[in-house]
Amino acid sequence: MTLMRFASVLGLCGILSGCETFGDEVGVSEGLVSRHANKVIVATSQRQRADRYLLAGLLLAPLALDAAQDETDADTAITRLNAHYQTMAELYEAIAECSTTEIETIEADENNSCRVQLESHPAQNEALDKDGYSFEVLAYEVQSDLYFLGKSALINLDLDDKVKDVIDLDPTALVSLLRELGELAPTLRRGLATYRDGIVIYTDAVYESVEDGCDNEKPKPKLCSSFKKRYSRIGALTDEEGNPVRGLSKVLADARQDASGKQWQLSKRQRYAILSHMDTACARAYRMLSDPKGTDCLNLEGRKKLVTAFQNKPIDS
């Protein structure tokens, strides 16, 4: 599609009220991505949205790296990962500067609202820091890098015709892929193992935000029951109709419901746990390079910048 045709389509969508994609791009935070992302992980604040992107990277980056078939694939995936680190760092740094979604208390006498006035004017020749008022543009850059990571994974796995199933993380479709692509089963199984670790990380974060309600709220959050049983054997948990459900699937479904309206966030440990997953996958891909260009996965410029962003006081837990 040419740029002119694309512009024409957007213009037509602006006229036709039924064009949901255009409406989302114009009127919803994060654009068209938001509708689909909220079906997986509910996020309301800018900080939660940044953490949601980090969780998405946990799934896509290792898959792209582990699916590399040769040196070119590995080099491309590592380059994509470095770009993802860079844009995630810029997003976290902006939120650390200030947030527009709520007054996020950092210390007893300090908050992180963009409504707090600057104490002084920047120098005329001083570069201005991005903050929460640049969130949408920075989020778009993160979305773009996640798209290219996902595209690399699908191309490396030769799954171009299975894009929707993989993006939706449809377990039934993914199991079907295991049967169709026996030689890729180890890569896909490792990807699903990473997905399970992602469930644990996310549900831990949500449980921390609702734990007090397990004693004080009526009705109690759903996680109060399922969280402690997430490692139970198959059949130990049931749904509302009494049908047996799997522990991690149940706790994820409950976390999605309980997260709405709660101030959940990833802790420092959880953010570093996600980074550790990416480091491990990157190291496997790095070994495929015959000319490593003088740097390893732990010294990628984007990674160093992301670690620095994790250490910024306003986003620490």
Side-chain angles (χ1 to χ4, degrees), residues 185-201:
T187 298
L188 292 173
R189 287 200 64 212
R190 184 182 286 124
L192 290 171
T194 304
Y195 175 63
R196 294 194 298 273
D197 278 335
I199 291 176
V200 173
I201 290 171

Side-chain angles (χ1 to χ4, degrees), residues 235-245 250:
L237 290 172
T238 59
D239 60 19
E240 294 179 356
E241 285 74 36
N243 301 312
V245 293
K250 171 64 173 172

Side-chain angles (χ1 to χ4, degrees), residues 63-303:
L63 189 59
L65 293 159
D66 287 330
Q69 302 296 310
D70 53 35
E71 183 177 355
T72 299
D73 290 347
D75 185 62
T76 299
I78 291 173
T79 299
R80 299 293 190 199
L81 175 64
N82 189 44
H84 173 61
Y85 285 156
Q86 180 82 16
T87 52
M88 280 302 311
E90 291 171 357
L91 188 64
Y92 275 123
E93 287 169 353
I95 298 169
E97 190 68 23
C98 75
S99 172
T100 66
T101 45
E102 74 275 327
I103 296 178
E104 301 187 22
T105 300
I106 309 307
E107 295 180 345
D109 58 350
E110 182 181 5
N111 70 64
N112 194 37
S113 172
C114 286
R115 293 187 296 276
V116 175
Q117 295 300 312
L118 294 174
E119 295 181 358
S120 61
H121 293 287
Q124 289 185 345
N125 61 347
E126 179 183 351
L128 300 178
D129 292 327
K130 293 287 195 302
D131 56 25
Y133 288 126
S134 295
F135 177 85
E136 298 298 329
V137 170
L138 295 173
Y140 168 78
E141 298 299 336
V142 173
Q143 293 170 18
S144 179
D145 286 327
L146 287 172
Y147 166 80
F148 283 115
L149 277 171
K151 185 177 181 180
S152 292
L154 293 172
I155 290 174
N156 294 346
L157 290 169
D158 194 23
L159 298 179
D160 301 68
D161 59 337
K162 303 289 196 306
V163 174
K164 185 178 185 303
D165 292 336
V166 174
I167 290 177
D168 288 345
L169 294 173
D170 184 334
T172 302
L174 292 175
V175 169
S176 176
L177 290 176
L178 292 178
R179 295 170 180 165
E180 293 178 28
L181 305 170
E183 69 278 9
L184 294 177
T187 298
L188 292 173
R189 287 200 64 212
R190 184 182 286 124
L192 290 171
T194 304
Y195 175 63
R196 294 194 298 273
D197 278 335
I199 291 176
V200 173
I201 290 171
Y202 170 62
T203 54
D204 263 18
V206 176
Y207 182 74
E208 185 175 349
S209 72
V210 304
E211 187 174 10
D212 290 344
C214 293
D215 296 324
N216 305 324
E217 293 182 12
K218 292 184 179 180
K220 294 181 179 180
K222 291 180 176 293
L223 272 178
C224 297
S225 173
S226 61
F227 180 80
K228 296 179 181 179
K229 299 178 182 179
R230 58 185 173 175
Y231 291 109
S232 300
R233 60 178 174 78
I234 296 176
L237 290 172
T238 59
D239 60 19
E240 294 179 356
E241 285 74 36
N243 301 312
V245 293
R246 294 170 175 82
L248 291 180
S249 298
K250 171 64 173 172
V251 76
L252 176 59
D254 289 348
R256 286 169 176 164
Q257 291 190 43
D258 289 347
S260 181
K262 299 294 184 180
Q263 293 304 313
W264 69 269
Q265 64 171 312
L266 295 180
S267 68
K268 186 190 305 182
R269 179 185 292 275
Q270 289 158 355
R271 293 190 182 108
Y272 281 120
I274 291 173
L275 185 59
S276 175
H277 274 279
M278 297 181 186
D279 287 343
T280 303
C282 184
R284 286 192 291 267
Y286 186 81
R287 289 194 290 268
M288 299 179 69
L289 302 182
S290 59
D291 180 14
K293 301 176 183 177
T295 185
D296 59 26
C297 293
L298 299 182
N299 287 297
L300 294 172
E301 287 302 316
R303 185 189 185 278

